[in-house]
Amino acid sequence: MYERFNTLINAAFDFNANKATLAAASILLAQEVGVEEYKILKNEDDLEAFFLN
């Protein structure tokens, strides 16, 4: 279990990866740790809505 979390955390914060890979890894990490789906920012529209509303 912790190995899976560590793998996801490492992928989500691998600053050598491109932004699409980082975003995908961050979404997977959020899902794995139980963040409610409606709270996960998954695309540019979600980001804009979050920061501009």
Side-chain angles (χ1 to χ4, degrees):
M1 176 174 170
Y2 293 112
E3 184 176 332
R4 171 103 173 117
F5 285 148
N6 286 336
T7 299
L8 290 170
I9 290 168
N10 288 337
F13 293 97
D14 178 2
F15 297 114
N16 293 315
N18 65 46
K19 65 182 179 179
T21 301
L22 289 173
S26 295
I27 291 167
L28 288 174
L29 177 60
Q31 291 168 329
E32 187 72 24
V33 299
V35 174
E36 297 173 71
E37 284 293 319
Y38 78 93
K39 292 183 177 180
I40 301 173
L41 306 176
K42 297 179 182 172
N43 55 47
E44 283 190 40
D45 291 337
D46 290 348
L47 288 169
E48 286 182 17
F50 178 78
F51 286 108
L52 298 177
N53 289 328

